[in-house]
Amino acid sequence: MNKMYITTGTKDYLQQLKNSHPDETMLLLEGEEDAVLLHETAGETVFQEPRAYEVIDAVGPLAGAFVVCNNVPVTDEGRPLFEYRFQQRARLIEQEPGFAAIRVLRPLSNDTYIIMTLWDGKEHFKRWQRSQAFVKAHQQGKETKPAGLRLFPRPSYITTYVVAKEG
């Protein structure tokens, strides 16, 4: 099973790190105030202090110009149901124009899953958010949960990034 490692730093530092490992699959992302480097591998990471995730669902190569990370905190007791819901998802997003890839990342050292989607551009993601397929995909996980099960300890949040151009 592949793992995804995520590390942060200045754009210049992360670009140097990426350039020093040309044979590794890495993706440099730029946010409004930060930069993130993703390293997907079946082996060890080259990062010194990464956050580690197990890839539990993957479609498409790590390619695209716009990245959306839905950060979803999940309780320990809620993990099996949360993961089951993703295993049973309709997979409608894969049919959307401009969709490039998805990674569902299980945290190995914290409680926050990341649902990362990559798009050809921001406009494609925005179109997906307004689509009936989006509504249908997000209604699927609304089935009743066992009484007393607390699934989410706090609200989820979204971060978005633009993939840095090489050079």
Side-chain angles (χ1 to χ4, degrees):
M1 172 103 22
N2 278 357
K3 290 200 168 108
M4 178 80 65
Y5 297 92
I6 301 172
T7 194
T8 59
T10 67
K11 181 181 179 245
D12 290 339
Y13 168 74
L14 295 176
Q15 186 67 57
Q16 289 173 6
L17 182 61
K18 184 178 186 300
N19 292 344
S20 67
H21 299 279
D23 297 330
E24 298 286 333
T25 301
M26 293 187 202
L27 191 61
L28 178 59
L29 310 175
E30 293 182 29
E32 289 184 15
E33 297 181 15
D34 61 347
V36 175
L37 190 61
L38 305 177
H39 180 220
E40 187 172 30
T41 181
E44 293 297 314
T45 181
V46 298
F47 300 155
Q48 291 181 1
E49 293 186 34
R51 287 172 286 169
Y53 296 85
E54 188 170 21
V55 180
I56 60 173
D57 189 8
V59 174
L62 285 180
F66 187 70
V67 180
V68 179
C69 294
N70 189 1
N71 301 269
V72 185
V74 179
T75 62
D76 285 342
E77 63 271 14
R79 283 177 172 234
L81 177 58
F82 182 80
E83 290 184 18
Y84 174 79
R85 287 179 177 177
F86 267 94
Q87 291 167 352
Q88 303 304 312
R89 68 188 177 86
R91 300 187 179 276
L92 298 173
I93 196 169
E94 286 94 328
Q95 309 309 313
E96 284 298 306
F99 169 83
I102 186 170
R103 296 293 185 277
V104 179
L105 307 176
R106 175 192 296 140
L108 298 180
S109 59
N110 64 57
D111 69 350
T112 304
Y113 285 74
I114 297 177
I115 315 309
M116 181 175 61
T117 55
L118 290 86
W119 301 86
D120 290 342
K122 183 177 184 177
E123 68 280 2
H124 295 286
F125 171 68
K126 293 295 186 184
R127 190 175 312 123
W128 155 247
Q129 283 186 305
R130 294 186 303 265
S131 73
Q132 287 302 312
F134 178 89
V135 172
K136 183 176 180 182
H138 289 86
Q139 285 176 341
Q140 255 189 302
K142 303 282 187 201
E143 73 271 1
T144 320
K145 62 179 173 50
L149 176 66
R150 197 171 122 239
L151 196 56
F152 307 111
R154 59 192 175 282
S156 63
Y157 60 95
I158 291 182
T159 53
T160 60
Y161 301 93
V162 176
V163 177
K165 302 283 187 251
E166 289 293 324

